[in-house]
């Protein structure tokens, strides 16, 4: 399993922006961002394949952008138009086994970052 180290996050007012970063220690096929709000299940925000194909959850596709830099083994999540309901612990994830489309289920990802809190106040 690759190791993932996250950075970024923090507190912001509604409508604000944040950028999350995640660096992997080795090769990854799919990378993704997930979040888990208090008392809720972990959910997929966005995924990106090594070739750059992206997929987003419906509630964020117009506000969040996932990108990756394969040379740096890094994935990023640019978040804008943040809402209080975006408050959660955010995790990056990676899988090294290739699939035609990056899966959305957290259980299909074998490597996880340490998590970073994002808090959006109204």
């Amino acid at each position: 399993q690759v190791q993932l180290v996250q950075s970024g996050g923090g507190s912001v007012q509604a409508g604000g922006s944040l950028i999350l970063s995640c660096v992997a220690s080795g090769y990854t096929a799919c990378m993704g961002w997930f979040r888990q709000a208090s008392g809720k299940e972990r959910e997929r925000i966005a995924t990106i394949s090594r070739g750059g194909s992206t997929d987003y959850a419906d509630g964020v596709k117009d506000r969040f952008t996932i990108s990756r830099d394969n040379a740096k083994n890094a994935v990023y999540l640019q978040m804008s138009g943040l809402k209080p309901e975006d408050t959660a612990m955010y995790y990056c994830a990676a899988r090294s086994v290739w699939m035609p489309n990056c899966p959305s289920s957290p259980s299909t990802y074998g490597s996880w970052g340490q998590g970073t809190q994002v808090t959006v106040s109204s």
Side-chain angles (χ1 to χ4, degrees):
Q1 308 286 16
V2 299
Q3 305 299 312
L4 302 177
V5 178
Q6 297 178 219
S7 60
S11 298
V12 66
Q13 289 190 325
S17 300
L18 287 171
I19 298 176
L20 305 181
S21 301
C22 174
V23 178
S25 60
Y27 175 88
T28 60
C30 287
M31 299 190 80
W33 288 98
F34 295 75
R35 67 186 179 189
Q36 188 166 16
S38 180
K40 296 187 177 180
E41 293 187 352
R42 191 167 298 189
E43 63 177 359
R44 187 270 314 245
I45 302 170
T47 57
I48 185 167
S49 71
R50 191 165 187 85
S53 295
T54 59
D55 193 28
Y56 294 89
D58 288 340
V60 304
K61 61 177 55 179
D62 294 329
R63 300 184 294 123
F64 294 5
T65 301
I66 189 171
S67 60
R68 66 184 291 168
D69 183 336
N70 291 333
K72 298 180 179 179
N73 289 328
V75 64
Y76 308 97
L77 185 69
Q78 294 179 279
M79 304 183 290
S80 61
L82 284 161
K83 304 176 181 179
E85 52 263 44
D86 293 318
T87 295
M89 187 71 77
Y90 283 66
Y91 298 90
C92 68
R95 55 176 287 123
S96 298
V97 178
W98 180 84
M99 291 181 68
N101 298 295
C102 289
S104 60
S105 172
S107 64
T108 60
Y109 290 79
S111 299
W112 290 87
Q114 77 275 21
T116 187
Q117 179 69 35
V118 171
T119 302
V120 184
S121 58
S122 58

